[in-house]
Amino acid sequence: MIDFTLNGRACRLPSPPPGTTVLEVLRDSLGHDGTKEGCASGDCGACTIALQTPGQSLTTANACLMPAHQLEGCELITVEGLASPDSKTPALSPVQQALVATHASQCGFCTPGIAISLAVLHASHQQHVSQGNVFDDRQRDTLIDHALGGNLCRCTGYRPIREAAHRLLAGEFGTVNLSAHSSLLLASVPETIVTPTIDSHYHRPRTLAALLALRTAQPDMPLIAGGTDLMLEHTQRLRDFPALLDVTQVTELCRIDEGEHAGQSGWWLGAAVTYRQLMPLLREHYPEAADLLNRLGSEQIRNRGTLGGNIGNASPIGDMPPLLIALEAYVQLMNQRGERILKLEDFFLDYKRTQLMPDEIIHSVFLPRPVKSQRLAAYKLSKRRDDDISTLLGVFAWRRDADGGAQHWRIAFGGMASIPARAFHLEALLDEIPLESLTPATLNRQTLGMIEQATGADFSPLSDVRGSREYRLKAASHLIPRVAQRILNEQAAHSATHHTANTSSSQPPESLDAYLAQS
């Protein structure tokens, strides 16, 4: 049985087949058909739901990609639950009033998902405002972009939707209290482990030992966390899963711990840590990486997708591996016999092939703490800015020795080979060229030719629907001047503010940064 609450009411469902999605349960079993199926791939947002798990804040999710078994112990809010539940004639919620007042519903198919995304944004914004944070129109624009980046309106009427969002956040339609639904929230997630000999089941172990035992007993059973990639096998290819092994209830895989490895201090990031959980750490220590992460999928995907899933999927266009490779990250693999730790760049072998043994899991990733002189730049090239797959992704980590002498580059690309990989020839070339000679204003034809030649020595990309081989090589090479200019600009800005840093009192982060870090 699956016990959860739906729009404030306790709900108990017989356990469905392992691959059943929340969307299927809502529409086919519970009669809640306000939540729509559009793409069934997590792109359009028509199926957006609001979800609250024990101890976590309210977030959005794509119901078409979420396994129904992960509703256990959760509070689920759909579009039917937005209106006030306290009246025999339910009153429209603030977000629904805003959408009506601005004529933003149009054909209405995508409106339920948009309404949920805006309702969660409104509740979060309201909380931050109550804490003294103030947002201007431009900052609200950014918040709305993040919230609605995963919701596509097929009528292309974005202006009234954005108007509704702005008027909603300005308080024109009053306050929202989505937390009122959580009074029935279950206190804990019950144990659902069964004996490893059962072939048709959704396994949800609570301990690392139980997880590893199941992995050993059934090494062919797919691992699942956020489901943002694996569930596409079910929704797009109509694959049925006899069994699934869920890692999201194992505490060790869901936390971020400070630690050390290979003589470096840093953080051990559990494989089931979501992008949302990772964001505050990146925004504090690697803000450029946080900006990149904001372009990984949508809010719905970032709320559910996990670090280990992105690495284990071994896609050559995954966004996290190039970033982590450039930052000298390690991956910890584990089975019942023990553990082993590899450089992440050595983990990938070929297209969709890794060093992971059949009975192993990805336990965690070690992210080193940035050194004082380190600079980072990351560029994602895609056909649209939000909620899109990379055509290519380049990450550039640069530092200079403490004495100001030798410079060191680490460069990793996605989309340039069958695996995410370092650009060794390009690194060696740039180590020998002064940074000042690489900017758009100073770069000469000869040096640019050397950069293009080094890039071609490192990679031989394929042509596909996202970009040709020639485009990828040219675009990758021409990122270097942008990186150099950015580093020099940052150094100049640092020098300009250095003289006033010691005389200024420490200020809290700007409201928008604080919001994004926490949200």
Side-chain angles (χ1 to χ4, degrees):
M1 303 297 289
I2 302 174
D3 292 302
F4 62 103
T5 60
L6 174 61
N7 298 325
R9 297 181 180 275
C11 187
R12 169 167 285 187
L13 281 176
S15 295
T20 305
T21 66
V22 171
L23 181 62
E24 290 172 311
V25 165
L26 284 173
R27 295 183 62 84
D28 299 339
S29 301
L30 298 175
H32 279 57
D33 52 10
T35 305
K36 307 301 184 186
E37 179 176 357
C39 64
S41 60
D43 289 326
C44 74
C47 69
T48 301
I49 54 174
L51 191 71
Q52 187 166 26
T53 57
Q56 302 294 324
S57 59
L58 195 69
T59 62
T60 54
N62 294 118
C64 70
L65 296 181
M66 180 178 174
H69 288 81
Q70 290 185 352
L71 286 174
E72 185 69 56
C74 293
E75 164 70 14
L76 172 62
I77 300 174
T78 67
V79 67
E80 291 92 345
L82 291 182
S84 171
D86 300 327
S87 171
K88 293 182 180 179
T89 305
L92 292 181
S93 69
V95 65
Q96 291 168 316
Q97 294 177 49
L99 291 169
V100 170
T102 58
H103 305 284
S105 61
Q106 299 160 95
C107 84
F109 188 87
C110 60
T111 304
I114 291 171
I116 290 292
S117 291
L118 288 180
V120 174
L121 170 64
H122 188 201
S124 181
H125 176 268
Q126 186 175 283
Q127 178 182 357
H128 282 270
V129 169
S130 70
Q131 296 170 350
N133 293 311
V134 179
F135 303 92
D136 59 28
D137 285 344
R138 185 175 179 180
Q139 291 172 321
R140 286 181 186 142
D141 259 331
T142 301
L143 301 180
I144 293 167
D145 285 345
H146 283 289
L148 293 179
N151 294 88
L152 302 183
C153 173
R154 289 150 187 81
C155 301
T156 69
Y158 294 112
R159 186 204 57 77
I161 296 172
R162 296 187 67 84
E163 180 187 352
H166 272 287
R167 290 173 64 178
L168 181 70
L169 298 190
E172 183 175 335
F173 299 96
T175 60
V176 64
N177 184 21
L178 292 178
S179 62
H181 291 291
S182 63
S183 59
L184 297 175
L185 192 63
L186 300 178
S188 62
V189 180
E191 187 74 44
T192 58
I193 301 174
V194 296
T195 57
T197 56
I198 296 179
D199 293 328
S200 181
H201 197 78
Y202 191 96
H203 300 262
R204 212 175 187 203
R206 297 289 301 278
T207 66
L208 182 60
L211 171 62
L212 295 177
L214 284 164
R215 186 65 166 163
T216 299
Q218 299 188 54
D220 294 332
M221 181 165 49
L223 297 172
I224 190 167
T228 56
D229 184 79
L230 180 66
M231 292 302 288
L232 295 174
E233 293 287 320
H234 173 69
T235 63
Q236 301 296 299
R237 300 181 182 180
L238 306 181
R239 174 185 174 187
D240 290 325
F241 295 107
L244 288 173
L245 180 52
D246 189 325
V247 304
T248 59
Q249 293 300 300
V250 179
T251 302
E252 294 94 325
L253 304 187
C254 300
R255 67 189 186 201
I256 299 174
D257 297 318
E258 290 195 47
E260 294 184 356
H261 181 68
Q264 297 173 290
S265 64
W267 302 270
W268 287 101
L269 314 174
V273 167
T274 65
Y275 305 129
R276 178 186 176 91
Q277 289 176 271
L278 185 58
M279 182 64 78
L281 174 68
L282 293 183
R283 190 158 293 280
E284 179 179 357
H285 298 282
Y286 289 107
E288 300 85 0
D291 292 339
L292 173 63
L293 190 57
N294 272 326
R295 293 193 57 200
L296 192 159
S298 61
E299 281 285 276
Q300 294 93 320
I301 295 297
R302 292 189 292 271
N303 290 336
R304 303 260 318 145
T306 63
L307 185 62
N310 197 247
I311 293 171
N313 185 39
S315 169
I317 50 176
D319 287 349
M320 293 305 293
L323 171 67
L324 294 168
I325 289 172
L327 295 177
E328 303 184 65
Y330 292 79
V331 61
Q332 181 183 28
L333 311 179
M334 188 174 293
N335 58 19
Q336 283 191 305
R337 299 185 302 277
E339 65 178 39
R340 55 189 179 121
I341 300 176
L342 310 172
K343 289 182 178 180
L344 185 60
E345 63 195 79
D346 297 330
F347 176 70
F348 303 100
L349 300 176
D350 202 346
Y351 180 73
K352 293 286 188 175
R353 287 185 56 236
T354 70
Q355 296 241 29
L356 194 69
M357 301 297 290
D359 64 343
E360 284 183 317
I361 64 166
I362 299 175
H363 179 277
S364 55
V365 173
F366 179 76
L367 175 65
R369 187 179 294 273
V371 298
K372 185 176 181 180
S373 62
Q374 185 171 324
R375 297 291 185 272
L376 179 68
Y379 294 95
K380 175 175 177 172
L381 305 186
S382 55
K383 290 190 173 183
R384 63 175 186 259
R385 177 169 179 81
D386 293 310
D387 197 14
D388 200 7
I389 296 172
S390 297
T391 299
L392 73 87
L393 190 150
V395 184
F396 307 82
W398 180 89
R399 66 177 176 83
R400 183 168 297 213
D401 288 344
D403 59 3
Q407 58 190 30
H408 306 276
W409 289 84
R410 277 184 67 94
I411 303 171
F413 279 98
M416 295 288 286
S418 61
I419 60 173
R422 284 179 64 185
F424 290 103
H425 290 87
L426 189 56
E427 291 175 0
L429 174 65
L430 296 183
D431 284 346
E432 302 302 322
I433 301 177
L435 187 67
E436 293 77 7
S437 301
L438 296 172
T439 68
T442 60
L443 186 66
N444 59 43
R445 186 179 298 274
Q446 180 182 3
T447 304
L448 180 58
M450 294 168 62
I451 291 172
E452 292 178 349
Q453 185 177 8
T455 305
D458 284 316
F459 302 108
S460 182
L462 298 175
S463 296
D464 59 22
V465 294
R466 296 186 181 89
S468 67
R469 176 184 185 276
E470 293 74 19
Y471 169 78
R472 286 186 163 101
L473 286 171
K474 185 72 72 173
S477 301
H478 283 250
L479 287 177
I480 302 301
R482 297 174 64 180
V483 173
Q485 189 66 64
R486 177 172 179 173
I487 292 172
L488 290 174
N489 289 347
E490 290 176 351
Q491 290 175 343
H494 177 75
S495 298
T497 58
H498 179 70
H499 297 292
T500 59
N502 293 330
T503 59
S504 300
S505 60
S506 177
Q507 297 293 325
E510 293 185 12
S511 298
L512 181 61
D513 284 342
Y515 180 95
L516 293 175
Q518 296 176 34
S519 302

